[in-house]
Amino acid sequence: MIGMEPSSSSAEWKPTASQEEQWALERHVFHIYQLFCNIPPKSQAVMLELQRDNHIEYLMKGLRHLGPSFSVLDANRPWICYWILHSIALLGESVDDALESNTIDFISRCQDQHGGYGGGPGQMPHLATTYAAVNSLITLGGHRSLSSINRGKIYSFLQRMKHPSGGFSMHDGGEVDVRACYTAISVASALCILDKELTQGVGDYILSCQTYEGGIAGEPGSEAHGGYTFCGLATMILINEANRLDLPSLTDWLVFRQGVEGGFQGRTNKLVDGCYSFWQGGAAVLLQRLHEAGDLFQSHALQQYILLCSQVEGGFRDKPGKSRDHYHTCYCLSGLAAAQFRWSKDADREPLPGLVLGPYSNLLEPIDPLHNIVFEQFDEAREFFTESQHCDDA
Ligand SMILES: CC(C)=CCC/C(C)=C/CC/C(C)=C/COP(=O)(O)OP(=O)(O)O
Ligand SMILES: [Zn+2]
Protein backbone atom coordinates (compact mmCIF):
# COMPACT_ATOMS: atom_id res chain seq x y z
CA MET A 1 0.00 0.00 0.00
CA ILE A 2 1.34 3.48 -0.88
CA GLY A 3 2.86 5.39 2.03
CA MET A 4 3.03 2.34 4.25
CA GLU A 5 6.15 1.75 6.33
CA PRO A 6 8.15 -1.19 4.99
CA SER A 7 6.86 -4.31 6.65
CA SER A 8 9.30 -6.56 8.42
CA SER A 9 9.47 -8.82 5.35
CA SER A 10 10.28 -5.92 2.94
CA ALA A 11 12.91 -4.63 5.42
CA GLU A 12 14.60 -8.00 5.09
CA TRP A 13 14.49 -7.85 1.32
CA LYS A 14 17.91 -8.12 -0.29
CA PRO A 15 18.77 -7.90 -3.99
CA THR A 16 19.95 -11.09 -5.65
CA ALA A 17 23.54 -11.42 -6.85
CA SER A 18 22.45 -10.94 -10.48
CA GLN A 19 20.42 -7.81 -9.61
CA GLU A 20 23.48 -6.33 -7.92
CA GLU A 21 25.60 -7.21 -10.96
CA GLN A 22 23.04 -5.61 -13.26
CA TRP A 23 22.91 -2.39 -11.22
CA ALA A 24 26.70 -2.19 -11.01
CA LEU A 25 26.91 -2.50 -14.80
CA GLU A 26 24.18 0.11 -15.32
CA ARG A 27 26.01 2.54 -13.01
CA HIS A 28 29.24 1.94 -14.91
CA VAL A 29 27.69 2.39 -18.34
CA PHE A 30 25.63 5.44 -17.31
CA HIS A 31 28.79 6.99 -15.91
CA ILE A 32 30.36 6.62 -19.37
CA TYR A 33 27.27 8.10 -21.03
CA GLN A 34 27.22 10.97 -18.52
CA LEU A 35 30.86 11.75 -19.23
CA PHE A 36 30.00 11.64 -22.90
CA CYS A 37 27.12 14.11 -22.52
CA ASN A 38 29.12 16.52 -20.41
CA ILE A 39 31.91 17.08 -22.91
CA PRO A 40 31.84 19.46 -25.90
CA PRO A 41 30.51 18.09 -29.22
CA LYS A 42 34.01 18.00 -30.68
CA SER A 43 35.23 15.61 -27.98
CA GLN A 44 32.00 13.64 -28.28
CA ALA A 45 32.85 13.05 -31.93
CA VAL A 46 36.25 11.73 -30.85
CA MET A 47 34.66 9.33 -28.36
CA LEU A 48 32.36 7.98 -31.06
CA GLU A 49 35.13 7.56 -33.60
CA LEU A 50 36.01 4.04 -34.67
CA GLN A 51 39.70 3.81 -33.86
CA ARG A 52 40.61 2.09 -37.09
CA ASP A 53 44.40 2.36 -36.91
CA ASN A 54 44.55 1.02 -33.36
CA HIS A 55 42.24 -1.85 -34.24
CA ILE A 56 44.26 -2.79 -37.31
CA GLU A 57 47.51 -2.72 -35.31
CA TYR A 58 46.01 -4.99 -32.62
CA LEU A 59 44.64 -7.39 -35.24
CA MET A 60 47.76 -7.61 -37.41
CA LYS A 61 49.89 -8.29 -34.33
CA GLY A 62 47.50 -11.10 -33.35
CA LEU A 63 47.71 -12.71 -36.78
CA ARG A 64 51.50 -12.55 -36.91
CA HIS A 65 51.67 -14.38 -33.57
CA LEU A 66 49.64 -17.27 -34.88
CA GLY A 67 52.66 -19.30 -35.91
CA PRO A 68 53.86 -22.66 -34.52
CA SER A 69 54.86 -21.09 -31.19
CA PHE A 70 51.27 -20.08 -30.46
CA SER A 71 50.04 -22.27 -27.64
CA VAL A 72 47.13 -20.46 -25.93
CA LEU A 73 43.74 -21.81 -27.07
CA ASP A 74 45.63 -24.41 -28.99
CA ALA A 75 42.55 -26.17 -30.38
CA ASN A 76 41.13 -22.88 -31.62
CA ARG A 77 43.60 -21.55 -34.12
CA PRO A 78 41.30 -21.46 -37.18
CA TRP A 79 38.88 -19.49 -35.00
CA ILE A 80 41.54 -16.93 -34.13
CA CYS A 81 42.34 -16.66 -37.86
CA TYR A 82 38.66 -16.04 -38.63
CA TRP A 83 38.07 -13.52 -35.82
CA ILE A 84 41.11 -11.53 -36.91
CA LEU A 85 40.72 -11.81 -40.70
CA HIS A 86 37.01 -11.02 -40.61
CA SER A 87 37.64 -7.98 -38.36
CA ILE A 88 40.32 -6.73 -40.77
CA ALA A 89 37.96 -7.23 -43.73
CA LEU A 90 35.11 -5.41 -41.93
CA LEU A 91 37.49 -2.48 -41.50
CA GLY A 92 38.08 -2.53 -45.27
CA GLU A 93 41.73 -3.58 -45.00
CA SER A 94 43.65 -6.63 -46.14
CA VAL A 95 46.78 -8.47 -45.08
CA ASP A 96 50.06 -8.33 -47.00
CA ASP A 97 51.08 -11.13 -49.39
CA ALA A 98 53.47 -12.86 -46.99
CA LEU A 99 50.95 -12.94 -44.14
CA GLU A 100 48.25 -14.12 -46.53
CA SER A 101 50.41 -16.92 -47.84
CA ASN A 102 51.45 -18.03 -44.32
CA THR A 103 47.85 -18.02 -43.18
CA ILE A 104 46.69 -20.15 -46.13
CA ASP A 105 49.56 -22.61 -45.49
CA PHE A 106 48.74 -22.75 -41.79
CA ILE A 107 45.02 -23.38 -42.33
CA SER A 108 45.81 -26.00 -44.98
CA ARG A 109 47.87 -27.88 -42.42
CA CYS A 110 44.73 -28.09 -40.24
CA GLN A 111 42.82 -29.84 -43.06
CA ASP A 112 42.19 -33.53 -42.30
CA GLN A 113 43.04 -36.09 -44.98
CA HIS A 114 39.42 -37.36 -44.88
CA GLY A 115 37.90 -33.87 -44.94
CA GLY A 116 37.19 -30.98 -42.58
CA TYR A 117 39.54 -28.88 -40.47
CA GLY A 118 40.80 -29.45 -36.92
CA GLY A 119 41.81 -26.90 -34.28
CA GLY A 120 45.47 -27.19 -35.27
CA PRO A 121 47.69 -29.35 -37.49
CA GLY A 122 47.08 -33.06 -36.85
CA GLN A 123 43.98 -32.49 -34.71
CA MET A 124 40.70 -34.30 -35.40
CA PRO A 125 38.33 -32.43 -37.72
CA HIS A 126 35.58 -30.48 -35.98
CA LEU A 127 32.56 -28.63 -37.43
CA ALA A 128 33.26 -25.36 -35.58
CA THR A 129 36.87 -25.15 -36.74
CA THR A 130 35.79 -26.21 -40.25
CA TYR A 131 33.40 -23.23 -40.32
CA ALA A 132 36.15 -20.93 -39.02
CA ALA A 133 38.70 -22.23 -41.55
CA VAL A 134 36.31 -22.00 -44.53
CA ASN A 135 35.16 -18.49 -43.54
CA SER A 136 38.82 -17.44 -43.13
CA LEU A 137 39.80 -18.73 -46.57
CA ILE A 138 36.77 -17.10 -48.22
CA THR A 139 37.63 -13.85 -46.44
CA LEU A 140 41.19 -13.99 -47.78
CA GLY A 141 39.77 -14.76 -51.24
CA GLY A 142 41.69 -15.34 -54.45
CA HIS A 143 42.47 -18.54 -56.35
CA ARG A 144 45.15 -19.96 -54.05
CA SER A 145 43.02 -19.57 -50.94
CA LEU A 146 39.72 -20.79 -52.41
CA SER A 147 41.21 -23.74 -54.27
CA SER A 148 42.99 -24.94 -51.11
CA ILE A 149 39.57 -26.09 -49.80
CA ASN A 150 38.84 -29.72 -50.64
CA ARG A 151 35.10 -29.39 -51.13
CA GLY A 152 34.53 -33.07 -52.02
CA LYS A 153 36.15 -34.22 -48.81
CA ILE A 154 34.32 -31.59 -46.76
CA TYR A 155 31.09 -32.99 -48.18
CA SER A 156 32.06 -36.50 -46.97
CA PHE A 157 32.95 -35.06 -43.56
CA LEU A 158 29.55 -33.34 -43.32
CA GLN A 159 27.80 -36.58 -44.32
CA ARG A 160 29.75 -38.44 -41.64
CA MET A 161 28.69 -35.85 -39.00
CA LYS A 162 24.99 -36.28 -39.85
CA HIS A 163 23.07 -37.64 -36.83
CA PRO A 164 19.90 -39.80 -36.78
CA SER A 165 18.08 -36.95 -34.91
CA GLY A 166 18.34 -34.85 -38.08
CA GLY A 167 21.06 -32.66 -36.56
CA PHE A 168 24.84 -32.95 -36.78
CA SER A 169 27.59 -33.98 -34.33
CA MET A 170 30.38 -31.46 -33.76
CA HIS A 171 32.99 -34.18 -34.42
CA ASP A 172 33.22 -38.00 -34.50
CA GLY A 173 31.23 -39.10 -31.43
CA GLY A 174 30.74 -35.45 -30.42
CA GLU A 175 27.78 -33.45 -29.10
CA VAL A 176 24.73 -32.80 -31.28
CA ASP A 177 23.48 -29.21 -31.06
CA VAL A 178 22.25 -26.14 -32.94
CA ARG A 179 25.82 -24.86 -33.40
CA ALA A 180 26.68 -28.07 -35.25
CA CYS A 181 23.65 -27.64 -37.53
CA TYR A 182 24.58 -24.06 -38.31
CA THR A 183 28.28 -24.64 -38.93
CA ALA A 184 27.55 -27.66 -41.18
CA ILE A 185 24.82 -25.93 -43.19
CA SER A 186 26.68 -22.61 -43.44
CA VAL A 187 29.82 -24.34 -44.74
CA ALA A 188 27.82 -26.42 -47.24
CA SER A 189 25.96 -23.34 -48.44
CA ALA A 190 29.09 -21.19 -48.81
CA LEU A 191 30.86 -23.97 -50.73
CA CYS A 192 27.79 -24.73 -52.90
CA ILE A 193 27.59 -28.35 -51.74
CA LEU A 194 24.28 -28.11 -49.89
CA ASP A 195 21.85 -30.87 -50.91
CA LYS A 196 18.79 -32.75 -49.66
CA GLU A 197 20.86 -35.43 -47.97
CA LEU A 198 22.45 -32.80 -45.72
CA THR A 199 19.29 -30.79 -45.03
CA GLN A 200 17.06 -33.82 -44.30
CA GLY A 201 15.68 -33.58 -40.74
CA VAL A 202 17.62 -30.42 -39.82
CA GLY A 203 14.44 -28.31 -39.65
CA ASP A 204 12.79 -30.80 -37.25
CA TYR A 205 15.84 -30.70 -35.00
CA ILE A 206 15.95 -26.86 -34.87
CA LEU A 207 12.19 -26.69 -34.26
CA SER A 208 12.63 -28.98 -31.25
CA CYS A 209 15.04 -26.37 -29.79
CA GLN A 210 12.69 -23.35 -29.94
CA THR A 211 11.61 -22.73 -26.33
CA TYR A 212 8.48 -21.40 -24.61
CA GLU A 213 10.23 -17.99 -24.46
CA GLY A 214 10.46 -17.82 -28.25
CA GLY A 215 14.26 -17.92 -28.61
CA ILE A 216 16.26 -20.99 -29.61
CA ALA A 217 18.29 -23.17 -27.24
CA GLY A 218 21.47 -25.16 -27.94
CA GLU A 219 19.60 -28.46 -27.62
CA PRO A 220 16.07 -29.61 -26.82
CA GLY A 221 15.04 -28.70 -23.26
CA SER A 222 17.76 -26.05 -22.69
CA GLU A 223 17.43 -22.29 -22.26
CA ALA A 224 16.94 -19.89 -25.20
CA HIS A 225 20.18 -18.05 -25.93
CA GLY A 226 21.29 -15.42 -28.47
CA GLY A 227 24.20 -17.47 -29.83
CA TYR A 228 21.97 -20.44 -30.59
CA THR A 229 19.09 -18.26 -31.76
CA PHE A 230 21.30 -16.75 -34.46
CA CYS A 231 22.56 -20.24 -35.41
CA GLY A 232 19.06 -21.76 -35.48
CA LEU A 233 17.42 -18.96 -37.41
CA ALA A 234 20.25 -18.68 -39.96
CA THR A 235 20.13 -22.46 -40.48
CA MET A 236 16.36 -22.42 -41.04
CA ILE A 237 16.73 -19.62 -43.61
CA LEU A 238 19.56 -21.43 -45.39
CA ILE A 239 17.44 -24.59 -45.73
CA ASN A 240 14.35 -22.56 -46.68
CA GLU A 241 12.30 -23.60 -43.65
CA ALA A 242 12.23 -20.38 -41.56
CA ASN A 243 8.44 -20.21 -41.73
CA ARG A 244 8.17 -23.41 -39.70
CA LEU A 245 9.49 -21.50 -36.66
CA ASP A 246 7.14 -19.51 -34.42
CA LEU A 247 8.52 -16.23 -35.82
CA PRO A 248 6.24 -13.88 -33.84
CA SER A 249 7.39 -15.33 -30.51
CA LEU A 250 11.02 -15.42 -31.69
CA THR A 251 10.77 -11.74 -32.64
CA ASP A 252 9.12 -10.92 -29.33
CA TRP A 253 11.87 -12.67 -27.35
CA LEU A 254 14.62 -11.00 -29.39
CA VAL A 255 13.42 -7.40 -29.16
CA PHE A 256 13.35 -7.63 -25.35
CA ARG A 257 17.02 -8.70 -25.23
CA GLN A 258 18.27 -5.14 -25.93
CA GLY A 259 19.10 -3.62 -22.56
CA VAL A 260 18.86 -0.08 -21.20
CA GLU A 261 22.63 0.12 -21.81
CA GLY A 262 22.01 -0.15 -25.57
CA GLY A 263 23.77 -3.50 -25.95
CA PHE A 264 22.14 -6.94 -26.07
CA GLN A 265 22.02 -9.65 -23.42
CA GLY A 266 22.35 -13.31 -24.46
CA ARG A 267 19.45 -14.53 -22.35
CA THR A 268 16.79 -13.35 -19.93
CA ASN A 269 18.10 -11.69 -16.74
CA LYS A 270 21.77 -11.78 -17.78
CA LEU A 271 24.12 -8.86 -18.39
CA VAL A 272 24.56 -7.21 -21.77
CA ASP A 273 27.75 -8.16 -23.61
CA GLY A 274 29.31 -6.68 -26.78
CA CYS A 275 29.46 -10.02 -28.61
CA TYR A 276 25.64 -10.30 -28.61
CA SER A 277 25.64 -7.18 -30.79
CA PHE A 278 26.09 -9.70 -33.56
CA TRP A 279 24.39 -12.86 -32.27
CA GLN A 280 21.21 -10.93 -31.39
CA GLY A 281 21.69 -7.97 -33.78
CA GLY A 282 22.47 -10.38 -36.64
CA ALA A 283 19.37 -12.45 -35.84
CA ALA A 284 17.30 -9.24 -35.84
CA VAL A 285 18.69 -8.36 -39.28
CA LEU A 286 17.71 -11.83 -40.55
CA LEU A 287 14.17 -11.34 -39.23
CA GLN A 288 14.02 -7.86 -40.77
CA ARG A 289 15.06 -9.34 -44.11
CA LEU A 290 12.47 -12.12 -43.87
CA HIS A 291 9.61 -9.71 -43.31
CA GLU A 292 10.91 -6.56 -44.92
CA ALA A 293 10.09 -5.31 -41.39
CA GLY A 294 11.19 -1.98 -39.93
CA ASP A 295 13.86 -1.76 -37.26
CA LEU A 296 13.53 -4.46 -34.65
CA PHE A 297 16.15 -2.89 -32.38
CA GLN A 298 17.49 0.55 -31.56
CA SER A 299 20.39 0.82 -33.95
CA HIS A 300 21.56 4.13 -32.50
CA ALA A 301 21.71 2.72 -28.95
CA LEU A 302 23.51 -0.45 -30.06
CA GLN A 303 26.17 1.54 -31.93
CA GLN A 304 26.57 3.75 -28.88
CA TYR A 305 27.18 0.76 -26.60
CA ILE A 306 29.70 -0.76 -29.04
CA LEU A 307 31.65 2.47 -29.59
CA LEU A 308 31.54 3.94 -26.08
CA CYS A 309 31.48 0.87 -23.83
CA SER A 310 33.05 -2.01 -25.79
CA GLN A 311 35.66 -0.18 -27.84
CA VAL A 312 39.13 0.16 -26.31
CA GLU A 313 42.32 1.52 -27.85
CA GLY A 314 42.81 -1.34 -30.26
CA GLY A 315 40.13 -4.03 -30.00
CA PHE A 316 36.76 -4.50 -28.33
CA ARG A 317 35.55 -6.08 -25.09
CA ASP A 318 32.44 -7.61 -23.57
CA LYS A 319 31.77 -4.66 -21.24
CA PRO A 320 33.59 -1.98 -19.21
CA GLY A 321 35.96 -3.64 -16.73
CA LYS A 322 36.72 -6.60 -19.04
CA SER A 323 39.74 -7.02 -21.29
CA ARG A 324 39.71 -6.93 -25.06
CA ASP A 325 40.02 -10.13 -27.07
CA HIS A 326 39.78 -11.20 -30.70
CA TYR A 327 36.41 -12.91 -30.28
CA HIS A 328 34.75 -9.76 -28.93
CA THR A 329 36.54 -7.63 -31.51
CA CYS A 330 35.10 -9.79 -34.30
CA TYR A 331 31.55 -9.87 -32.98
CA CYS A 332 31.40 -6.21 -31.85
CA LEU A 333 32.51 -5.16 -35.35
CA SER A 334 30.08 -7.64 -36.97
CA GLY A 335 27.29 -6.24 -34.77
CA LEU A 336 28.28 -2.70 -35.70
CA ALA A 337 27.99 -3.64 -39.38
CA ALA A 338 24.58 -5.25 -38.67
CA ALA A 339 23.45 -1.94 -37.11
CA GLN A 340 24.87 0.38 -39.80
CA PHE A 341 23.13 -1.03 -42.89
CA ARG A 342 19.61 -1.28 -44.25
CA TRP A 343 18.84 -4.90 -45.06
CA SER A 344 16.78 -5.55 -48.15
CA LYS A 345 14.84 -8.76 -48.69
CA ASP A 346 16.94 -9.58 -51.74
CA ALA A 347 19.90 -11.43 -50.19
CA ASP A 348 21.91 -11.15 -53.43
CA ARG A 349 21.84 -7.37 -53.37
CA GLU A 350 24.54 -5.53 -51.42
CA PRO A 351 22.92 -3.71 -48.48
CA LEU A 352 22.96 0.10 -48.46
CA PRO A 353 24.22 2.18 -45.54
CA GLY A 354 21.61 3.30 -43.02
CA LEU A 355 22.10 5.18 -39.77
CA VAL A 356 25.83 5.54 -39.03
CA LEU A 357 26.55 6.84 -35.54
CA GLY A 358 29.65 9.05 -35.22
CA PRO A 359 31.68 10.25 -38.18
CA TYR A 360 30.70 8.69 -41.52
CA SER A 361 34.21 7.19 -41.69
CA ASN A 362 32.91 4.72 -39.05
CA LEU A 363 31.06 2.92 -41.83
CA LEU A 364 32.22 -0.69 -42.11
CA GLU A 365 32.06 -3.08 -45.05
CA PRO A 366 28.66 -4.80 -45.38
CA ILE A 367 28.38 -8.48 -44.55
CA ASP A 368 26.43 -11.45 -45.74
CA PRO A 369 24.61 -11.85 -42.41
CA LEU A 370 23.81 -15.56 -42.85
CA HIS A 371 27.46 -16.64 -43.01
CA ASN A 372 29.02 -13.55 -41.39
CA ILE A 373 31.49 -13.00 -44.19
CA VAL A 374 32.11 -9.61 -45.83
CA PHE A 375 29.66 -9.34 -48.74
CA GLU A 376 32.21 -8.80 -51.51
CA GLN A 377 34.37 -11.76 -50.52
CA PHE A 378 31.31 -13.98 -50.08
CA ASP A 379 30.14 -13.02 -53.54
CA GLU A 380 33.54 -13.77 -55.07
CA ALA A 381 33.57 -17.21 -53.45
CA ARG A 382 30.06 -18.09 -54.62
CA GLU A 383 31.06 -17.22 -58.16
CA PHE A 384 34.31 -19.18 -57.88
CA PHE A 385 32.59 -22.33 -56.57
CA THR A 386 29.65 -22.08 -58.97
CA GLU A 387 31.88 -21.72 -61.98
CA SER A 388 34.55 -24.22 -60.97
CA GLN A 389 32.10 -27.06 -60.29
CA HIS A 390 28.39 -27.77 -60.17
CA CYS A 391 26.38 -25.98 -57.49
CA ASP A 392 23.55 -28.20 -56.24
CA ASP A 393 20.54 -26.45 -54.82
CA ALA A 394 18.87 -28.17 -51.91
C1 LIG B 1 28.93 -20.40 -34.84
C2 LIG B 1 29.04 -20.67 -33.39
C3 LIG B 1 30.04 -21.66 -32.95
C4 LIG B 1 28.23 -20.04 -32.56
C5 LIG B 1 28.29 -20.04 -31.10
C6 LIG B 1 27.11 -19.32 -30.58
C7 LIG B 1 27.24 -18.93 -29.14
C8 LIG B 1 27.95 -17.64 -28.80
C9 LIG B 1 26.66 -19.65 -28.20
C10 LIG B 1 26.64 -19.22 -26.81
C11 LIG B 1 26.90 -20.32 -25.85
C12 LIG B 1 26.48 -19.98 -24.43
C13 LIG B 1 25.34 -20.72 -23.82
C14 LIG B 1 27.11 -19.05 -23.77
C15 LIG B 1 26.73 -18.64 -22.39
O1 LIG B 1 27.82 -18.16 -21.81
P1 LIG B 1 27.75 -17.32 -20.45
O2 LIG B 1 26.87 -18.01 -19.46
O3 LIG B 1 29.16 -17.08 -20.06
O4 LIG B 1 27.15 -15.95 -20.97
P2 LIG B 1 25.76 -15.22 -20.72
O5 LIG B 1 25.71 -14.87 -19.27
O6 LIG B 1 25.88 -14.01 -21.57
O7 LIG B 1 24.66 -16.14 -21.14
ZN1 LIG C 1 30.76 -12.03 -25.00
Side-chain angles (χ1 to χ4, degrees):
M1 204 196 302
I2 295 166
M4 211 174 88
E5 289 287 298
S7 70
S8 58
S9 66
S10 66
E12 280 161 18
W13 179 83
K14 272 202 188 114
T16 63
S18 47
Q19 273 171 322
E20 279 183 355
E21 253 189 343
Q22 174 67 46
W23 294 335
L25 175 66
E26 279 175 24
R27 280 195 298 273
H28 210 130
V29 169
F30 289 140
H31 177 66
I32 294 174
Y33 288 164
Q34 221 164 26
L35 275 178
F36 174 77
C37 292
N38 287 330
I39 59 169
K42 217 171 176 185
S43 314
Q44 283 187 8
V46 173
M47 278 180 85
L48 285 176
E49 200 170 86
L50 187 63
Q51 297 180 25
R52 286 176 176 273
D53 293 348
N54 294 329
H55 298 320
I56 290 292
E57 195 190 321
Y58 167 64
L59 293 162
M60 292 292 183
K61 199 169 149 205
L63 196 58
R64 281 197 202 96
H65 277 79
L66 208 58
S69 62
F70 201 88
S71 60
V72 192
L73 295 172
D74 212 27
N76 252 349
R77 282 188 269 173
W79 270 118
I80 298 175
C81 284
Y82 168 63
W83 297 331
I84 296 179
L85 290 170
H86 182 49
S87 299
I88 293 173
L90 280 162
L91 290 161
E93 300 281 336
S94 50
V95 298
D96 65 37
D97 290 353
L99 200 49
E100 175 177 321
S101 173
N102 287 344
T103 310
I104 297 172
D105 290 343
F106 173 72
I107 297 177
S108 297
R109 285 195 285 125
C110 299
Q111 191 159 204
D112 185 76
Q113 56 169 325
H114 302 298
Y117 293 80
Q123 294 184 22
M124 67 146 87
H126 192 283
L127 273 175
T129 42
T130 298
Y131 167 83
V134 166
N135 277 18
S136 299
L137 293 164
I138 293 178
T139 301
L140 283 173
H143 189 274
R144 181 155 181 263
S145 182
L146 297 175
S147 58
S148 75
I149 305 171
N150 191 327
R151 294 158 70 228
K153 285 191 175 167
I154 288 195
Y155 184 80
S156 316
F157 171 61
L158 297 179
Q159 265 183 324
R160 198 169 85 232
M161 293 305 107
K162 193 84 189 148
H163 187 262
S165 63
F168 287 86
S169 305
M170 286 308 275
H171 56 86
D172 281 319
E175 66 276 31
V176 178
D177 62 27
V178 171
R179 249 176 345 150
C181 294
Y182 170 66
T183 47
I185 297 297
S186 171
V187 161
S189 149
L191 298 179
C192 295
I193 51 173
L194 189 60
D195 66 7
K196 286 213 171 67
E197 212 180 309
L198 294 178
T199 57
Q200 188 79 44
V202 173
D204 292 337
Y205 182 81
I206 305 280
L207 277 192
S208 72
C209 298
Q210 183 166 23
T211 80
Y212 69 95
E213 284 192 282
I216 298 171
E219 51 200 331
S222 292
E223 184 183 4
H225 194 282
Y228 299 118
T229 299
F230 171 83
C231 289
L233 177 61
T235 304
M236 290 302 261
I237 296 172
L238 288 168
I239 64 172
N240 262 320
E241 295 184 28
N243 286 329
R244 293 182 65 200
L245 287 164
D246 182 348
L247 291 174
S249 77
L250 199 161
T251 307
D252 201 49
W253 175 82
L254 192 103
V255 298
F256 282 105
R257 302 284 71 77
Q258 187 167 23
V260 286
E261 303 87 351
F264 277 103
Q265 60 179 185
R267 46 187 163 141
T268 312
N269 288 330
K270 298 297 301 260
L271 300 183
V272 300
D273 171 346
C275 67
Y276 300 127
S277 306
F278 178 73
W279 300 118
Q280 303 284 30
V285 157
L286 296 180
L287 284 174
Q288 273 167 220
R289 272 202 334 189
L290 272 181
H291 298 299
E292 208 88 84
D295 289 347
L296 292 180
F297 63 94
Q298 291 204 358
S299 158
H300 178 279
L302 180 61
Q303 294 182 53
Q304 201 167 15
Y305 181 80
I306 296 170
L307 293 166
L308 295 179
C309 304
S310 282
Q311 179 171 234
V312 294
E313 243 181 62
F316 290 80
R317 59 187 176 186
D318 160 348
K319 59 173 67 57
K322 300 268 181 179
S323 306
R324 67 182 178 180
D325 60 60
H326 294 123
Y327 165 81
H328 285 93
T329 302
C330 169
Y331 289 106
C332 283
L333 285 170
S334 305
L336 190 58
Q340 286 177 338
F341 288 87
R342 279 188 286 132
W343 301 90
S344 96
K345 206 167 182 175
D346 180 0
D348 295 331
R349 204 169 338 124
E350 187 164 331
L352 295 170
L355 186 149
V356 178
L357 188 71
Y360 201 69
S361 58
N362 279 4
L363 184 67
L364 296 171
E365 295 299 312
I367 52 171
D368 172 85
L370 285 165
H371 306 82
N372 199 15
I373 295 174
V374 162
F375 193 91
E376 197 181 317
Q377 273 92 324
F378 179 72
D379 217 35
E380 180 202 330
R382 282 313 276 272
E383 209 166 290
F384 180 88
F385 295 130
T386 318
E387 273 170 18
S388 61
Q389 280 169 49
H390 61 282
C391 185
D392 295 327
D393 277 328

